[in-house]
Amino acid sequence: MTSMSASGKSGTMNANATSANLVVPRELNWPPRSEADQAAELAKLLRGEYPDSNGRYGPFGGRFVPETLMGAVTRLETVAREALQDMSFLATLESEGREWIGRRTPMMKAKNLSAAWGINLWLKREDLAHTGAHKINNALGQGLLAKRLGVKRIIAETGAGQHGVATAAACARLGFPCRVYMGATDVQRQAPNVQRMKWLGAEVVPVTSGDQTLRAAIDEALRDWVSDPMGTHYLLGSAVGPHPFPWLVRTFQSVIGRESRQQMLEQAQRLPDAVFSCVGGGSNAIGMFHGFLADASVKIFGVEAGGRGDTPGEHSSTITHGRPGVLHGCYSYLLQDQNGQVSDSHSVSAGLDYPGVGPEHSFLSDVGRVSYVQAGDEEALAAVKDCCRMEGILPALEPSHALAAAKNFGKANPGATVLVNLCGRGDKDMPILMKVLS
Amino acid sequence: MHTIEQSIRSKRQSGSPAVIPYLTCGFPTREALRSQIEQLAPLSAVIELGVAFSDPMADGVTIQRSSAVALQQQASLDWLLTELKGIRSACPLAIMSYLNPLLTISAGTLGLRLKDANIAGLIIPDLPLEESAPLREEMASLGIALIQMVTPATPMERAKMIASRSGGFLYAVTSMGVTGGSAGAASSSGGASGQSLDAVGSYLAGLRAISPVPVAAGFGIRTREQVRSLQPHADALIVGSALIEAIEKGQSPGEFIRGLIG
């Protein structure tokens, strides 16, 4: 079991830090060394200057894809920028969000967990969104974009199956044929979601190559996309991949942070002292964090999966243990060996079991705005139990990592007001819970 | 004229097809590399030396398989560059690598190490033109060609720009999809849209009209018939997955390539 480090990684200079290389210009002088330099970089992000015209957040991000896909990613950015200026697109997004997804999702005071953990714990209930997780926000947004792109079919990857279910649902609603790539290991451990996808009309393709988890599913979805880049939309669900995906996913997930900030002010009459979200690729986290990045008083924590320990292959703590590299089209922190081969990762949670991380998270770590900490398998499972028994909510294994980290935070900060993004419900985890908890 | 370009042009002038075989280095064993290069070099315009990567997203099942074997054999960029210092090749050598393994060698050192290993060119499937400027400059100063790719989906204006910045040759991907499909025939793998031979021919002719460097066709060239029919349309032909499959069946690389061009 991994314990949570007190301060996380942010603000510390370590041997893994970025330096100039083939894709990072020396002039960039990355990472920023002084607090003033870090603040200046964060200010650029808050002013909307990142991602820049090359899709970079500082050195991170970019478009490291085969030439075959350049036309498709360029067209996607153009169409997305137009759509996001178009009142009718935004109105449809809003009304579908309200009527079909059930936004806005509630904010809830977790009274019993608060008492047990010695903090004031608030939960953003993304588990109550249609299909049971935040993934639907992005699936709807990109599904509507796919209409404007004029593509004939949609493909997606999925880890825990939440993004696959969300994409299958959006495709059913919008009338697209849908194919979902899912690692064979994940097909086993998230069986209920596989059936749901099929009921929603999607074809589920188990991926037996590579590590047979989320990473292999993305590899396979990219291989599908290169065979028909203009007729197919790849509806990527994590905040990873080539530009414009990390930006697009953030844009559609930012509703979480916007609503949360407002609800905290309405219901708690204050901003939280600390915000926690789990980070695999980092889609729920980036959406939540954007609501609070400008509030200097709010500490922000991204919680990576500590798995079974710090040995390579036993965890999915990319920012904690990785060094920057290129996987799936973007430059970001990456779990890799000394030869640049991507390492296998592990987490009890399929949605966090990924050796990469969204480029904007790498940026937020390097500029010191977000601390990336760990919670291990055992801690997450304990949090599932606590949340079930005390609040009557079965949380997904992914946000249970955020709950565990919030609990740890409470030990050093009793009485703190803490917000956790409960980004999905745990019904899909029943097979694995029955295996490990009984 | 760059040594790779020269080699392709002189092969063409001699009347024999200019072939560019691709090897996954370390497949089936690391020890096989020397003999593979020695067999192929006299028959080839250039040899593409593939560096195995754990996540080869532009490759089909064949090269995924050979890459996995090579990684089990502990193949790495570092091993390859060290090994090559002791191997003399009768034709120029180019490295084909995904970007991430290249990033393990620090900027400023990579070029020198490639030079030491007698590498004349570099092909990076996940480094599009927009991201390639710093690397191209570093390589140019050492005389190492950064070979760029175009595909049937690349608009002609963009293809022109890519060709003007490509060193050694222009890598023309002949079919959409991953490696290992079939060019000039209805494709049977990976859902790739197979192009008719006529379509491939006119695509290649269009590229040759705009490219200052030779145009090499690749992705899905696997039979002697394809070589015969594509040869008039391209300056060189790249043979990858088919060669790997031959090696898997126990055929020697030299024998397979001779059969293809003979």
Side-chain angles (χ1 to χ4, degrees), chain A residues 22 56 62-68 70 209 215 219 222-223 226-227 229 323 325-326 336 338-342, chain B residues 52-57 59 64 71 76 99-100 104 125-126 128 130-131 135 149 151 154 158 162 176-178:
Chain A
L22 298 176
R56 302 285 190 112
R63 286 174 292 192
F64 298 98
V65 291
E67 170 61 22
T68 320
M70 282 306 286
S209 62
R215 162 183 159 210
D219 284 337
L222 286 166
R223 290 186 187 115
V226 294
S227 68
R323 64 169 205 278
V326 171
Q336 54 179 320
Q338 76 280 7
N339 293 315
Q341 305 298 338
V342 179
Chain B
F53 182 49
S54 52
D55 292 69
M57 68 167 164
D59 285 302
Q64 288 176 44
L71 290 175
S76 68
L99 188 52
N100 203 53
T104 60
D126 55 351
E130 284 75 2
E131 303 283 0
L135 183 61
M149 298 173 124
T151 81
T154 309
R158 180 173 167 84
I162 292 173
M176 300 299 285
V178 293

Side-chain angles (χ1 to χ4, degrees), chain A residues 54-100:
Chain A
N54 296 313
R56 302 285 190 112
Y57 306 78
F60 300 113
R63 286 174 292 192
F64 298 98
V65 291
E67 170 61 22
T68 320
L69 293 180
M70 282 306 286
V73 296
T74 308
R75 180 183 69 171
L76 178 59
E77 182 177 2
T78 307
V79 169
R81 289 198 186 279
E82 281 165 12
L84 293 166
Q85 301 289 321
D86 178 343
M87 293 315 286
S88 77
F89 178 86
L90 295 173
T92 309
L93 187 65
E94 197 276 334
S95 66
E96 287 289 285
R98 187 161 27 85
E99 295 166 12
W100 186 66

Side-chain angles (χ1 to χ4, degrees), chain B residues 19 21 23 31-44 47 87-91 243 247 250-258 261:
Chain B
V19 286
L23 291 168
E31 292 67 35
L33 181 69
R34 176 184 296 271
S35 155
Q36 289 169 338
I37 292 175
E38 284 169 359
Q39 288 179 49
L40 289 172
L43 305 167
S44 309
I47 300 174
I87 298 178
R88 287 280 156 268
S89 170
C91 75
L243 173 58
I247 297 173
Q251 217 176 340
S252 82
E255 184 192 339
F256 177 76
I257 293 295
R258 258 194 306 276
I261 62 178

